[in-house]
Amino acid sequence: MFASLPILSIVTFLPLIGAIVVAVLPTAWTRRTALAFALAAWVASLMLLVGYLPGRPGFEYVETFDWIPVFGIQYKLGVDGLSAALVVLTTTLSWIAILASFRPIQTRIKEYMISFLILEVGMIGVFLALDLFLFYIFWEIVLVPMYLIIGIWGGANRIYATIKFVLYTLVGSLLMLVAILATGYAYSAAHGGSWVGAFDFLTLRDFAASSGFAPALQIGAFLAFFLAFAIKVPMFPFHTWLPDAHTEAPTAGSVILAAIMLKLGAYGFFRFAVPLFPDAAHTFAPAIIVLSLIAIIYGAIVALVQPDLKRLVAFSSVSHMGFVTLGLFVFTQQGLQGAILQMINHGLITGALFLLVGVIYERTHDRTLAKMGGLSARMPVYAAVFGFFAFASAGLPGLSGFVGEFLTLVGTFEANPVAATIATFVMILAAGYLLFMFQRMFFGEVSQFFQSVGDRLTDLQAIEILTLTPLAALVVVFGIQPGLILRLVDGTVRDTLQSAAEGAPIAVPTPVTVAVVGLIIVGVVARIVWVLLPGHAEDTSGAAPAAVEGGAAH
């Protein structure tokens, strides 16, 4: 339908045009202009779904031209069911996050909106890039604006949080760049020194399915990709940047961080790590399944004891994203379907929960659960909406959170009944920390802290309801009709299963296996000891900072 239009480039770079327009217009026009371009990108992304044919293998709307021909690097974009779903999720959450920033962000508004629009460009580009070098460029673009959003408009400890975020992600990104270059060089060497197609994902995937890369390269490259993606997901034990980044980020920054940026890592596993290095994926799948189970258990337990509302939601993300990697690396149809649904559902539900945390923070400038109580008497609409998303996060049947976790568990049981049993019992912990949080916040007598807030403790306002309504509607729709997503991503699931089926575990020397398992055990034990030691606040520490979100900027 849109064959004559470069629709993918339009969707990708509309926010960049918006950032340029915002930069030259007067500050008074900043908010409305940024929102207008975010909405325009959202409408353009919906056009992808209008003409997209679900279930077809391969990519549609492909745009290609040579960028750096001497090394075979192309500007190549394409969309399949998975990337279409994630692009629409990105554009939807972007305009919602910008709208939610109208009231909280009162200083350096122009710079904030420019950063947000450029961030959207990077995220969309990651989901559409079909050239590995171009993918890496978009991957790195995401880092800079989020660094600024947390570092300028974040909370009291924003500098520490943003530096930790950058260091973690940069280390993984640089190793991934080395792996991309090594992969391209290996392809070139196998084709008589020709660089044509050396970074083209489709060409490399076909090569991996036929001749395949050498086992040593697969092991090294997969580990490099794994580190970059595992940090972004984040998987245990690479998750430690996440709670600090979430806690210090402004509300809209936390929404995008949880709803979209964590999906970049999971998408990378689906799109690149498994199809390009299937043998290595099978080799490390058991270890990744173990790490996924640890993340599910660890995130739930730590969330249960969090005194800070925002950190509780942040650690719940570690647990929920563990289901994504678990479903992917069992290599079953239901597992892959559940992993994709969990990615979408987590973006909708956790994004909404961070918006709701921002609502109470804007009124009280505090997130300490011990100070809360009886909020339903003062904010009944807020209590009802919060309860809706909390039950959705806990996996209530009829809402979207249930379907993703159910399919993941079914697919996991088919491949590994023990892992499925463990993950199923951990869901009780998820219900525990969410219901315990809800009870402390909303039931009982109105706490003295809430009484001291006075008239500022108003119920949801029109703009806040507007940001939450689309997310609530999608949670209900996908809970009742998950087939809307499953049909869309059917081609992606089949392609990924086919790539995985072509792989077989690589024979790894016993000392290497023992060393890897030993490192995992040492990491788990060290992490638990670190948490239990007094004075280490990463997981169980005290109160939320009293500083107003935005720090010096406010």
Side-chain angles (χ1 to χ4, degrees), residues 15 22 64 148 158 160-161 207 216 232 241 243 266 312 351 357 364 370 391 413 453 463 480 486 523 537 545 552:
V22 167
T64 307
L148 296 175
R158 60 192 182 277
Y160 167 78
F207 178 73
K232 194 75 81 176
W241 63 270
L312 187 153
V357 172
T364 65
F391 279 108
F413 191 85
V453 174
I463 194 170
I480 298 173
L486 294 180

Side-chain angles (χ1 to χ4, degrees), residues 174-471:
L174 291 176
L175 290 176
M176 181 174 68
L177 176 61
V178 174
I180 289 172
L181 296 176
T183 302
Y185 179 80
Y187 177 86
S188 173
H191 291 77
S194 172
W195 286 89
V196 177
F199 296 99
D200 186 320
F201 166 70
L202 299 179
T203 302
L204 292 174
R205 185 182 64 178
D206 292 340
F207 178 73
S210 55
S211 303
F213 294 102
L217 176 66
Q218 286 206 45
I219 292 291
F222 182 87
L223 287 175
F225 274 87
F226 169 79
L227 183 61
F229 299 150
I231 289 172
K232 194 75 81 176
V233 167
M235 294 182 64
F236 181 94
F238 310 107
H239 68 285
T240 56
W241 63 270
L242 182 70
D244 295 311
H246 269 309
T247 303
E248 302 305 325
T251 296
S254 292
V255 170
I256 294 299
L257 191 61
I260 308 300
M261 290 188 64
L262 304 191
K263 312 306 177 294
L264 302 183
Y267 174 82
F269 281 126
F270 269 95
R271 177 64 70 233
F272 299 106
V274 172
L276 297 184
F277 315 110
D279 295 341
H282 278 279
T283 302
F284 291 105
I288 295 174
I289 290 173
V290 170
L291 290 177
S292 300
L293 290 173
I294 293 172
I296 294 170
I297 299 168
Y298 176 81
I301 292 176
V302 175
L304 191 63
V305 298
Q306 284 304 301
D308 181 296
L309 181 58
K310 204 173 189 183
R311 291 180 76 88
L312 187 153
V313 179
F315 274 106
S316 75
S317 291
V318 176
S319 184
H320 285 301
M321 290 302 292
F323 281 95
V324 175
T325 51
L326 175 64
L328 170 58
F329 281 95
V330 294
F331 301 127
T332 63
Q333 181 178 358
Q334 291 89 350
L336 292 173
Q337 290 175 331
I340 293 174
L341 278 174
Q342 183 72 354
M343 290 168 66
I344 304 297
N345 298 333
H346 177 267
L348 298 172
I349 297 169
T350 306
L353 287 174
F354 276 115
L355 286 174
L356 290 164
V357 172
V359 168
I360 196 65
Y361 184 79
E362 284 300 314
R363 288 155 173 76
T364 65
H365 300 310
D366 205 303
R367 299 184 299 263
T368 308
L369 283 168
K371 297 181 180 180
M372 300 182 182
L375 192 56
S376 59
R378 301 288 297 273
M379 302 174 67
V381 177
Y382 177 78
V385 175
F386 203 112
F388 172 83
F389 284 107
F391 279 108
S393 183
L396 181 70
L399 301 179
S400 63
F402 169 77
V403 186
E405 292 182 352
F406 176 76
L407 280 175
T408 300
L409 292 174
V410 170
T412 304
F413 191 85
E414 179 183 341
N416 192 326
V418 175
T421 303
I422 294 172
T424 301
F425 279 108
V426 174
M427 292 181 67
I428 300 173
L429 289 176
Y433 66 72
L434 288 165
L435 294 176
F436 187 39
M437 169 192 67
F438 192 75
Q439 183 270 332
R440 284 187 288 177
M441 289 182 65
F442 295 103
F443 296 143
E445 299 293 327
V446 179
S447 67
Q448 291 184 351
F449 173 69
F450 283 153
Q451 293 178 20
S452 68
V453 174
D455 295 338
R456 286 184 294 148
L457 206 60
T458 57
D459 214 335
L460 288 177
Q461 298 178 355
I463 194 170
E464 294 164 342
I465 294 175
L466 181 58
T467 60
L468 292 164
T469 300
L471 302 180

Side-chain angles (χ1 to χ4, degrees), residues 89-129:
L89 180 69
T90 300
T91 57
T92 303
L93 268 298
S94 292
W95 74 257
I96 288 175
I98 288 175
L99 183 60
S101 303
F102 276 23
R103 181 178 175 183
I105 304 300
Q106 296 296 328
T107 58
R108 300 183 182 178
I109 302 169
K110 179 175 290 192
E111 292 88 343
Y112 177 87
M113 294 301 176
I114 291 172
S115 297
F116 231 98
L117 290 169
I118 294 176
L119 176 63
E120 186 178 3
V121 173
M123 294 186 297
I124 295 173
V126 165
F127 295 136
L128 295 179

